[in-house]
PDB file of all heavy atoms in Angstrom:
ATOM      1  N   LEU R  68     -13.694   3.061  -4.410  1.00 92.00           N
ATOM      2  CA  LEU R  68     -14.312   1.917  -3.735  1.00 92.00           C
ATOM      3  C   LEU R  68     -13.690   1.670  -2.356  1.00 92.00           C
ATOM      4  O   LEU R  68     -14.406   1.472  -1.369  1.00 92.00           O
ATOM      5  CB  LEU R  68     -14.168   0.659  -4.601  1.00 92.00           C
ATOM      6  CG  LEU R  68     -14.894   0.693  -5.951  1.00 92.00           C
ATOM      7  CD1 LEU R  68     -14.465  -0.488  -6.809  1.00 92.00           C
ATOM      8  CD2 LEU R  68     -16.400   0.699  -5.750  1.00 92.00           C
ATOM      9  N   VAL R  69     -12.370   1.679  -2.289  1.00 93.00           N
ATOM     10  CA  VAL R  69     -11.679   1.394  -1.030  1.00 93.00           C
ATOM     11  C   VAL R  69     -11.941   2.486  -0.001  1.00 93.00           C
ATOM     12  O   VAL R  69     -12.167   2.195   1.180  1.00 93.00           O
ATOM     13  CB  VAL R  69     -10.159   1.207  -1.258  1.00 93.00           C
ATOM     14  CG1 VAL R  69      -9.400   1.181   0.050  1.00 93.00           C
ATOM     15  CG2 VAL R  69      -9.899  -0.066  -2.027  1.00 93.00           C
ATOM     16  N   ASP R  70     -11.905   3.717  -0.444  1.00 91.00           N
ATOM     17  CA  ASP R  70     -12.137   4.814   0.498  1.00 91.00           C
ATOM     18  C   ASP R  70     -13.527   4.696   1.119  1.00 91.00           C
ATOM     19  O   ASP R  70     -13.707   4.929   2.311  1.00 91.00           O
ATOM     20  CB  ASP R  70     -11.956   6.159  -0.204  1.00 91.00           C
ATOM     21  CG  ASP R  70     -11.830   7.297   0.783  1.00 91.00           C
ATOM     22  OD1 ASP R  70     -11.070   7.170   1.768  1.00 91.00           O
ATOM     23  OD2 ASP R  70     -12.494   8.334   0.575  1.00 91.00           O
ATOM     24  N   ASP R  71     -14.499   4.298   0.313  1.00 89.00           N
ATOM     25  CA  ASP R  71     -15.842   4.087   0.830  1.00 89.00           C
ATOM     26  C   ASP R  71     -15.857   2.945   1.859  1.00 89.00           C
ATOM     27  O   ASP R  71     -16.513   3.045   2.894  1.00 89.00           O
ATOM     28  CB  ASP R  71     -16.807   3.785  -0.317  1.00 89.00           C
ATOM     29  CG  ASP R  71     -18.242   3.669   0.145  1.00 89.00           C
ATOM     30  OD1 ASP R  71     -18.724   4.604   0.821  1.00 89.00           O
ATOM     31  OD2 ASP R  71     -18.877   2.645  -0.153  1.00 89.00           O
ATOM     32  N   LEU R  72     -15.127   1.884   1.589  1.00 90.00           N
ATOM     33  CA  LEU R  72     -15.061   0.751   2.517  1.00 90.00           C
ATOM     34  C   LEU R  72     -14.373   1.116   3.834  1.00 90.00           C
ATOM     35  O   LEU R  72     -14.627   0.502   4.862  1.00 90.00           O
ATOM     36  CB  LEU R  72     -14.328  -0.425   1.866  1.00 90.00           C
ATOM     37  CG  LEU R  72     -15.062  -1.119   0.728  1.00 90.00           C
ATOM     38  CD1 LEU R  72     -14.112  -2.043  -0.033  1.00 90.00           C
ATOM     39  CD2 LEU R  72     -16.260  -1.892   1.253  1.00 90.00           C
ATOM     40  N   CYS R  73     -13.505   2.109   3.799  1.00 90.00           N
ATOM     41  CA  CYS R  73     -12.746   2.507   4.988  1.00 90.00           C
ATOM     42  C   CYS R  73     -13.437   3.593   5.810  1.00 90.00           C
ATOM     43  O   CYS R  73     -12.970   3.915   6.904  1.00 90.00           O
ATOM     44  CB  CYS R  73     -11.348   2.986   4.589  1.00 90.00           C
ATOM     45  SG  CYS R  73     -10.299   1.657   3.966  1.00 90.00           S
ATOM     46  N   LYS R  74     -14.515   4.143   5.287  1.00 87.00           N
ATOM     47  CA  LYS R  74     -15.209   5.210   6.018  1.00 87.00           C
ATOM     48  C   LYS R  74     -15.759   4.673   7.330  1.00 87.00           C
ATOM     49  O   LYS R  74     -16.284   3.559   7.391  1.00 87.00           O
ATOM     50  CB  LYS R  74     -16.351   5.786   5.188  1.00 87.00           C
ATOM     51  CG  LYS R  74     -15.870   6.702   4.102  1.00 87.00           C
ATOM     52  CD  LYS R  74     -17.023   7.305   3.344  1.00 87.00           C
ATOM     53  CE  LYS R  74     -16.457   8.185   2.239  1.00 87.00           C
ATOM     54  NZ  LYS R  74     -17.451   8.533   1.257  1.00 87.00           N
ATOM     55  N   GLU R  75     -15.635   5.500   8.359  1.00 81.00           N
ATOM     56  CA  GLU R  75     -16.156   5.119   9.667  1.00 81.00           C
ATOM     57  C   GLU R  75     -17.674   5.113   9.631  1.00 81.00           C
ATOM     58  O   GLU R  75     -18.284   6.022   9.077  1.00 81.00           O
ATOM     59  CB  GLU R  75     -15.654   6.081  10.731  1.00 81.00           C
ATOM     60  CG  GLU R  75     -14.172   5.959  10.979  1.00 81.00           C
ATOM     61  CD  GLU R  75     -13.704   6.817  12.137  1.00 81.00           C
ATOM     62  OE1 GLU R  75     -14.513   7.056  13.067  1.00 81.00           O
ATOM     63  OE2 GLU R  75     -12.556   7.229  12.108  1.00 81.00           O
ATOM     64  N   GLN R  76     -18.227   4.061  10.196  1.00 77.00           N
ATOM     65  CA  GLN R  76     -19.673   3.932  10.300  1.00 77.00           C
ATOM     66  C   GLN R  76     -20.005   3.479  11.715  1.00 77.00           C
ATOM     67  O   GLN R  76     -19.226   2.728  12.313  1.00 77.00           O
ATOM     68  CB  GLN R  76     -20.192   2.893   9.308  1.00 77.00           C
ATOM     69  CG  GLN R  76     -19.926   3.207   7.864  1.00 77.00           C
ATOM     70  CD  GLN R  76     -20.385   2.069   6.958  1.00 77.00           C
ATOM     71  OE1 GLN R  76     -21.254   1.285   7.308  1.00 77.00           O
ATOM     72  NE2 GLN R  76     -19.789   1.983   5.790  1.00 77.00           N
ATOM     73  N   PRO R  77     -21.125   3.900  12.232  1.00 78.00           N
ATOM     74  CA  PRO R  77     -21.495   3.478  13.589  1.00 78.00           C
ATOM     75  C   PRO R  77     -21.569   1.949  13.687  1.00 78.00           C
ATOM     76  O   PRO R  77     -22.215   1.299  12.876  1.00 78.00           O
ATOM     77  CB  PRO R  77     -22.884   4.096  13.803  1.00 78.00           C
ATOM     78  CG  PRO R  77     -23.025   5.143  12.760  1.00 78.00           C
ATOM     79  CD  PRO R  77     -22.130   4.764  11.631  1.00 78.00           C
ATOM     80  N   GLY R  78     -20.856   1.393  14.642  1.00 75.00           N
ATOM     81  CA  GLY R  78     -20.885  -0.042  14.877  1.00 75.00           C
ATOM     82  C   GLY R  78     -20.094  -0.877  13.892  1.00 75.00           C
ATOM     83  O   GLY R  78     -20.143  -2.102  13.935  1.00 75.00           O
ATOM     84  N   VAL R  79     -19.370  -0.242  12.976  1.00 74.00           N
ATOM     85  CA  VAL R  79     -18.608  -0.981  11.964  1.00 74.00           C
ATOM     86  C   VAL R  79     -17.144  -0.543  12.034  1.00 74.00           C
ATOM     87  O   VAL R  79     -16.840   0.639  11.994  1.00 74.00           O
ATOM     88  CB  VAL R  79     -19.155  -0.721  10.537  1.00 74.00           C
ATOM     89  CG1 VAL R  79     -18.319  -1.439   9.492  1.00 74.00           C
ATOM     90  CG2 VAL R  79     -20.611  -1.129  10.439  1.00 74.00           C
ATOM     91  N   THR R  80     -16.275  -1.518  12.151  1.00 80.00           N
ATOM     92  CA  THR R  80     -14.841  -1.248  12.137  1.00 80.00           C
ATOM     93  C   THR R  80     -14.315  -1.552  10.737  1.00 80.00           C
ATOM     94  O   THR R  80     -14.670  -2.584  10.159  1.00 80.00           O
ATOM     95  CB  THR R  80     -14.109  -2.149  13.160  1.00 80.00           C
ATOM     96  OG1 THR R  80     -14.685  -1.937  14.441  1.00 80.00           O
ATOM     97  CG2 THR R  80     -12.635  -1.848  13.202  1.00 80.00           C
TER      98      THR R  80
END
Side-chain angles (χ1 to χ4, degrees):
L68 296 170
V69 169
D70 195 46
D71 185 53
L72 290 167
C73 291
K74 284 183 182 165
E75 291 186 29
Q76 299 176 24
V79 177
T80 304

